Amino acid sequence: MHRIIEHFLLQSNLQYTPDQRLVFQSNRTRLIEQQNAIPQTTRKILTALTTTILSCSSFLVAIQPAKAAVGPYCQFAPEEVERKEKLLAASLANKQTKPEYDAIVQKHTEMLQLCRSQTWPEEQAIWLRLYPCDITSGSIDHVLDRIVNLGYSKIHLEVFYDSQVLLPPGDNPTPWTPVVRSPDADNVDLLEQAIDKAHQRGLKLYAWLFTMNFGYTYAQLPDRQEALARDGSGQNSLTYVDDRAQAFIDPYSEQAQADYYNLVQAVLKRQPDGILFDYIRYPRGVGGRSYVHSVKDLWIYGQSSLNALYNRASNQKGLALIKKYIDKGNLTTQDIEIIDRQHPKESQAKWQGSRNLHDSKANVSSRQQQLKQDLWFFSVAHAAQGVIDFLSSAAKPAQDRGIPAGAVFFPDANRLVGRAGFDSRLQAWDKFPTDLEWHPMAYAICESKSYCITDQVKSVLNTAADNTTVIPALAGAWGQVYRQHLPLETQMEALRKATPEINAVSHFSYAWQEPDLDRQRKSCNFL
């Protein structure tokens, strides 16, 4: 907590080359010529042996990854993509053809692994959402094949979002609705299927979860009202964000902590390769509501948060001043004089992180300004500390199992606005645990160059500890400007030049890469 207050105060390839083939053919010719000098029986044995060796060598060449079939950024050639897609369709119609499909899946797995080991970045991930229609046989295979085709070696699979969880209806120990709700799909586990099928293709799969944004339906539950974050007017976040679907919780709420713990445990039971926490923040409003400059703007008025805030007081005078400031949103000289008289034995008001500058012997007017400033930064630090503590608690079950955990954040979400205002998200990512992976969303919109994107990544690298892995997330699509974001090729090349120490990148999102195919999958028409 002291550090947070200070922060807000200060601000192996076996392919044959043409030369190798020429040498090989020359050796074959010499072998045949030498047969004339040997007895006929021995010659027959040698001929058979030579033929066998040549056949085996040809077979090895055929099954080895063909480097020519993998293009820039490890994307597969159209003929490879088309062949695999046809074999998948055939295997769904006739199970006898499945071995051929499995063979090309394995071949492409090896091709991708070889290419990624020789190409920057070594790890390239994509963000993916599955739909109810993905229970259709072959649908997950199809989307994962497409992801391999695009050169990705890792998936960030959305598991908790918009009040939904990617858990089977028959095994869902959470208050959220399962993504799949078909009457005959009670035991369909899309998360488990996706993990298994990803591993068959040599892909890592991280579970990607919303964190403090519990969603609209959670906010409608009568027995969860006390778990919601509230501002100084007593409102929750549903009316604060334009889409009216984002319900942020009070990170100090034991109910919210227990609900999220059960969710994380259910996800980890499926054994993903890692887990990522998103929405580790408070909501961001529009216009003037995108920053906070008054204590009434802070989402600390849930009862759990208030209790935790009051418990940070170190003496009775400190507690009285905190309560008065929080209740009124201000502190007058009269308030201070009254509290001085109520606690005559305490010369100073004290609370966690206070600077012991509030001696009652000092001029009350000067004390008022100092107390208001200190209580403001103290309140902001309390709000930010709740986010950090909730993240640490959420990540602990994964870390206890040795499963990597990561934090997803906006590089500009901890900015100072003016002299004493802050971004309303209060995402103090620079104080996030250093043993987590850091996934900065470098989504800045640049006019023509990628400087604004690389600057965001550099700011994170300059802040991160030496032991912290930084994996930037870029937004866009290959080969085109998409939703004002520069082509991924442009962004990737700029990032490689500016931050060569980065060796893992992710792209948001699969739906942006292949929007037509994603819509088809969503409507159960994937092939």
Side-chain angles (χ1 to χ4, degrees):
M1 181 71 178
H2 290 77
R3 292 172 58 214
I4 300 301
I5 291 175
E6 180 184 357
H7 162 75
F8 286 109
L9 282 170
L10 301 176
Q11 241 334 257
S12 55
N13 188 9
L14 294 181
Q15 290 176 250
Y16 287 112
T17 65
D19 288 343
Q20 288 172 325
R21 290 184 183 279
L22 185 62
V23 171
F24 191 77
Q25 291 168 357
S26 175
N27 290 340
R28 181 179 183 275
T29 301
R30 283 201 300 274
L31 281 171
I32 293 173
E33 289 174 349
Q34 289 169 2
Q35 288 182 41
N36 296 326
I38 339 175
Q40 184 174 0
T41 303
T42 307
R43 191 185 314 149
K44 287 182 179 180
I45 295 173
L46 181 58
T47 301
L49 181 59
T50 303
T51 303
T52 301
I53 292 171
L54 292 174
S55 299
C56 290
S57 299
S58 300
F59 175 71
L60 284 172
V61 171
I63 66 170
Q64 289 308 309
K67 196 173 182 63
V70 179
Y73 303 101
C74 295
Q75 295 176 2
F76 282 63
E79 56 269 23
E80 291 285 341
V81 172
E82 182 180 3
R83 182 171 170 232
K84 181 166 56 178
E85 193 162 297
K86 287 181 177 179
L87 286 172
L88 172 59
S91 70
L92 295 173
N94 181 358
K95 291 185 178 180
Q96 292 183 345
T97 63
K98 191 172 184 303
E100 293 181 66
Y101 170 66
D102 291 342
I104 196 170
V105 167
Q106 180 59 32
K107 174 190 172 186
H108 284 187
T109 297
E110 295 170 0
M111 291 169 65
L112 178 61
Q113 289 175 342
L114 176 62
C115 184
R116 287 258 66 100
S117 70
Q118 300 172 347
T119 305
W120 182 92
E122 187 173 350
E123 182 179 272
Q124 185 170 270
I126 193 163
W127 303 77
L128 172 70
R129 174 179 289 186
L130 294 181
Y131 305 114
C133 285
D134 285 315
I135 66 173
T136 306
S137 179
S139 182
I140 295 179
D141 295 283
H142 184 248
V143 69
L144 296 187
D145 285 348
R146 301 295 300 187
I147 285 171
V148 169
N149 297 341
L150 289 168
Y152 293 101
S153 57
K154 183 179 175 185
I155 298 168
H156 297 160
L157 179 65
E158 204 165 17
V159 171
F160 170 50
Y161 61 96
D162 296 345
S163 299
Q164 301 178 85
V165 291
L166 198 65
L167 295 173
D171 186 15
N172 176 23
T174 79
W176 296 285
T177 306
V179 171
V180 176
R181 298 188 286 274
S182 306
D184 58 344
D186 202 49
N187 296 314
V188 173
D189 195 332
L190 286 184
L191 174 56
E192 188 172 70
Q193 289 183 33
I195 292 171
D196 290 343
K197 292 178 181 295
H199 289 171
Q200 290 169 15
R201 292 161 174 79
L203 302 172
K204 291 182 180 179
L205 188 145
Y206 273 33
W208 161 34
L209 288 72
F210 282 16
T211 306
M212 286 176 56
N213 177 8
F214 277 21
Y216 177 85
T217 60
Y218 187 90
Q220 306 310 307
L221 299 174
D223 59 346
R224 295 300 197 274
Q225 296 305 301
E226 291 298 317
L228 301 177
R230 297 189 182 277
D231 62 14
S233 64
Q235 298 297 308
N236 63 41
S237 61
L238 285 178
T239 57
Y240 189 81
V241 184
D242 278 352
D243 63 14
R244 295 181 176 270
Q246 297 184 26
F248 285 78
I249 50 88
D250 178 352
Y252 291 97
S253 164
E254 292 184 1
Q255 180 67 70
Q257 293 168 10
D259 286 336
Y260 203 75
Y261 176 83
N262 290 336
L263 167 65
V264 170
Q265 291 287 15
V267 171
L268 294 177
K269 188 169 75 172
R270 274 74 186 176
Q271 297 183 315
D273 297 296
I275 188 167
L276 296 179
F277 300 102
D278 198 356
Y279 280 91
I280 318 161
R281 58 179 178 84
Y282 295 102
R284 185 182 188 185
V286 177
R289 297 205 298 180
S290 65
Y291 63 93
V292 292
H293 54 80
S294 166
V295 69
K296 292 285 188 177
D297 297 332
L298 300 177
W299 297 93
I300 60 172
Y301 285 83
Q303 195 56 55
S304 296
S305 185
L306 285 177
N307 290 341
L309 179 65
Y310 298 152
N311 286 335
R312 296 188 190 280
S314 302
N315 63 7
Q316 290 302 309
K317 179 178 281 190
L319 177 60
L321 284 170
I322 292 170
K323 284 186 174 182
K324 182 64 69 174
Y325 177 73
I326 293 296
D327 181 55
K328 294 180 63 175
N330 194 14
L331 200 63
T332 65
T333 55
Q334 186 179 17
D335 294 329
I336 297 171
E337 289 171 344
I338 291 173
I339 292 173
D340 282 344
R341 289 195 296 269
Q342 290 174 340
H343 304 280
K345 294 182 179 180
E346 297 177 350
S347 62
Q348 293 183 339
K350 298 181 180 180
W351 51 79
Q352 188 176 358
S354 63
R355 296 185 290 174
N356 297 327
L357 299 177
H358 312 131
D359 197 315
S360 57
K361 296 178 182 179
N363 178 277
V364 69
S365 296
S366 62
R367 286 173 60 211
Q368 179 204 20
Q369 295 304 315
Q370 188 66 60
L371 282 166
K372 284 173 62 175
Q373 182 186 64
D374 286 2
L375 284 168
W376 164 239
F377 288 122
F378 171 67
S379 302
V380 171
H382 169 73
Q385 188 65 52
V387 175
I388 296 168
D389 290 346
F390 195 88
L391 169 62
S392 299
S393 175
K396 189 175 186 304
Q399 293 176 314
D400 288 345
R401 298 186 185 205
I403 295 175
V408 185
F409 57 88
F410 288 106
D412 63 346
N414 64 343
R415 64 194 173 96
L416 183 70
V417 180
R419 294 186 62 184
F422 299 93
D423 189 294
S424 64
R425 292 168 289 186
L426 289 180
Q427 193 171 46
W429 55 263
D430 50 319
K431 303 301 179 185
F432 284 175
T434 59
D435 56 350
L436 296 179
E437 294 178 356
W438 284 13
H439 293 253
M441 293 178 283
Y443 292 175
I445 303 291
C446 306
E447 292 184 4
S448 59
K449 302 291 184 181
S450 297
Y451 298 134
C452 64
I453 296 168
T454 56
D455 285 349
Q456 286 188 333
V457 176
K458 284 180 179 179
S459 72
V460 176
L461 286 172
N462 291 336
T463 304
D466 292 340
N467 65 319
T468 301
T469 301
V470 177
I471 304 175
L474 306 178
W478 294 106
Q480 60 178 314
V481 174
Y482 192 83
R483 299 188 182 183
Q484 297 183 281
H485 292 278
L486 295 173
L488 285 177
E489 295 92 334
T490 304
Q491 297 185 50
M492 292 286 283
E493 183 60 18
L495 191 65
R496 184 186 66 81
K497 290 180 178 178
T499 58
E501 64 269 38
I502 292 289
N503 201 28
V505 178
S506 69
H507 296 156
F508 184 89
S509 66
Y510 175 77
W512 286 21
Q513 305 304 323
E514 299 190 324
D516 294 338
L517 288 175
D518 194 70
R519 282 192 293 269
Q520 291 172 17
R521 247 181 60 246
K522 197 173 182 178
S523 60
C524 301
N525 183 27
F526 72 93
L527 281 177

